[in-house]
Amino acid sequence: MSIFAIDKFDQNEWFVIIGAVVTYTGLLLLPKRLPTSTTLLLCIWAFTTPKFYDFTLGGGLFDYYDVNDSPRYCIMDLVSYFFFAPFGYFFIYFYEWLRARGRAVVFYILGWSLVAVGVEWLMVYFHVLTYKNGYTIAYSFVIYLFTQSMTLVFYHWLTRPPKQASSDLRTE
Amino acid sequence: MGLTILLTICWLLLTILITYPKKLSRRECVFLFLVILDINISVSWILGYELGKIEISKQTSTYLMYVVYRSVLVPLLPVLCINLLLVCRTFLQKTLPVAGYLVAVWGLETLCIRYKAFTFPDFNMLKELVVAGSYLLIAVLLLKWFRYAFAKEEVGLP
C-alpha cells in the first residue's frame, strides 16, 4: 500500500476532520488578541510538538501508540496535526485573556492538561489513538503538564523584547 | 559515547546560536527551525520506516542519538548557515557557509553511522547531502516568505 493512503475511512477520520473544522472556526471567530506572526508560530509549535511525540514515543523504538488506523504514516495523521495546531493559540489566547499570572499559572496549566486529557480520551474513544505496550492516558497527563509549561516558556521567550538593539546585528 | 558527543555538539551549536550576534530575529529562527523539523520528521520516517531505505537503531542509546540528530541538529544547521549567509556579502563568501553546512552534515552523519544510530541499506551519503541541500534551499525560501509576509505588519517584534 502506498504512503499516505487511508486504510479505511471511518469514525477516526470523521473525528479528525470535524475537529479540525471546529478548531479552525474557533481560531477565525475569536477576536484578534495576538500579532499574526505570534499566532502562526504558536500554531506551528502546537503542530510540531505532538508530531515529535508521535514519531518518537508513538512510533520508532518505543512504539507506545498508533495514530489513526495503523503505524503507517497516512494523510489523516497530517490532518490530525492540523487539528492540534490551533490549541497552541487557544492556550495562549485564554492565558492572555484571563491574565493568568503568578500562582494562577499552576491552575491554568493543570486545567488545560485536564482539557487535553479529555480531548485525548475522545480521540481514544474514536480510535484516533490506539495505545500499545502498556501505555495509558496517565502518561499523557504528565506529558501535557510538561508541554504546556514549555509552551508558556516559549511564548514568553518569543515575546520578550530584545535586550540590546545594535544598529546592524541583532544580539538577543 | 556517541550520544555524549552528539549532545555536546548540540549544546555547542545552540550556545553559538544564542550568544553570537545574528541577522535573523528570534521569530525567524523559530519559524525556520520548527518548519524544517516538521519536514525532517516526515522525511526521516518515510525513508526509515515506510520505505526501509534507512535502518534505524533498536538500542535505546543509539536510538536517542538518531532522535537528537533528527530533531535538533538537522533543523539547527540550516538556521545557523542562513545566519552566516546573511552576514556574507559576496558570492564567494556565501559559498563558505554552504560548504561548511554540507561538511557538517556529512561529519555528523558519519558519526551517527559510526555508532550505528542508523545505517543506509538502500541509501547513501550523496542522497543525504541532496536532502540536506534541499532543507537549506527550503529554509531560504521560507525566510523570504516570512519577511515578505510580516515585514510591514510587525516591525520591531523580537
Side-chain angles (χ1 to χ4, degrees):
Chain A
M1 192 169 282
S2 63
I3 302 161
F4 289 130
I6 299 169
D7 289 345
K8 196 175 132 194
F9 200 97
D10 51 16
Q11 54 180 340
N12 56 313
E13 281 80 12
W14 280 115
F15 178 88
V16 170
I17 289 169
I18 293 168
V21 170
V22 169
T23 51
Y24 281 91
T25 307
L27 184 79
L28 294 172
L29 290 181
L30 280 174
K32 189 177 172 179
R33 192 171 279 273
L34 300 169
T36 313
S37 66
T38 308
T39 305
L40 175 73
L41 291 173
L42 286 169
C43 286
I44 296 175
W45 171 269
F47 181 97
T48 310
T49 38
K51 189 171 181 178
F52 171 78
Y53 290 133
D54 289 354
F55 285 85
T56 308
L57 298 174
L61 180 69
F62 302 112
D63 200 18
Y64 282 132
Y65 54 90
D66 287 343
V67 181
N68 291 307
D69 296 321
S70 71
R72 285 180 41 256
Y73 190 20
C74 79
I75 193 76
M76 290 315 292
D77 294 2
L78 208 56
V79 178
S80 66
Y81 302 124
F82 279 103
F83 161 61
F84 296 134
F87 282 101
Y89 175 71
F90 296 147
F91 180 70
I92 296 299
Y93 184 93
F94 291 107
Y95 173 75
E96 288 296 349
W97 188 57
L98 296 168
R99 295 184 185 281
R101 296 293 187 273
R103 273 176 238 166
V105 173
V106 176
F107 296 103
Y108 187 74
I109 292 172
L110 276 170
W112 264 97
S113 297
L114 289 171
V115 169
V117 165
V119 173
E120 185 167 319
W121 183 85
L122 281 174
M123 290 171 75
V124 173
Y125 183 80
F126 285 102
H127 304 291
V128 179
L129 291 176
T130 310
Y131 297 148
K132 295 191 295 191
N133 300 327
Y135 192 87
T136 66
I137 204 162
Y139 299 136
S140 294
F141 180 70
V142 182
I143 291 173
Y144 289 128
L145 286 178
F146 172 75
T147 307
Q148 287 168 8
S149 306
M150 288 309 295
T151 306
L152 276 187
V153 171
F154 172 70
Y155 171 66
H156 281 287
W157 175 76
L158 199 65
T159 52
R160 191 188 67 192
K163 281 180 192 160
Q164 200 181 338
S166 162
S167 59
D168 185 16
L169 299 174
R170 296 174 198 205
T171 54
E172 294 159 15
Chain B
M1 186 64 186
L3 184 61
T4 313
I5 296 169
L6 218 61
L7 286 173
T8 310
I9 294 168
C10 267
W11 170 82
L12 186 68
L13 293 178
L14 279 168
T15 313
I16 288 170
L17 183 67
I18 291 165
T19 57
Y20 275 51
K22 49 191 170 289
K23 284 276 192 178
L24 292 176
S25 72
R26 225 178 283 164
R27 277 158 201 269
E28 289 163 350
C29 286
V30 165
F31 176 69
L32 295 182
F33 182 90
L34 290 177
V35 175
I36 295 168
L37 172 60
D38 275 325
I39 297 169
N40 190 48
I41 287 175
S42 296
V43 168
S44 56
W45 181 272
I46 290 168
L47 288 176
Y49 290 97
E50 304 284 337
L51 301 176
K53 290 187 181 294
I54 300 172
E55 178 79 42
I56 296 156
S57 172
K58 291 182 174 63
Q59 287 189 324
T60 310
S61 67
T62 43
Y63 178 73
L64 287 176
M65 241 182 116
Y66 158 74
V67 169
V68 169
Y69 178 70
R70 180 202 69 181
S71 311
V72 184
L73 288 168
V74 171
L76 192 60
L77 286 170
V79 177
L80 283 164
C81 183
I82 287 178
N83 262 309
L84 289 172
L85 279 173
L86 291 172
V87 176
C88 299
R89 294 179 196 281
T90 64
F91 178 77
L92 197 64
Q93 282 178 338
K94 284 180 196 290
T95 55
L96 288 173
V98 176
Y101 166 72
L102 293 174
V103 169
V105 170
W106 177 81
L108 288 166
E109 296 240 337
T110 307
L111 182 77
C112 288
I113 292 167
R114 162 79 179 76
Y115 283 97
K116 295 185 172 58
F118 53 82
T119 49
F120 294 147
D122 192 18
F123 213 61
N124 58 48
M125 197 63 90
L126 192 65
K127 289 178 185 170
E128 272 292 318
L129 287 177
V130 171
V131 172
S134 312
Y135 288 163
L136 190 60
L137 185 65
I138 290 167
V140 170
L141 296 173
L142 283 169
L143 179 65
K144 280 185 188 290
W145 175 80
F146 193 84
R147 287 189 166 174
Y148 171 77
F150 299 111
K152 286 179 189 168
E153 189 194 4
E154 289 155 1
V155 174
L157 286 173

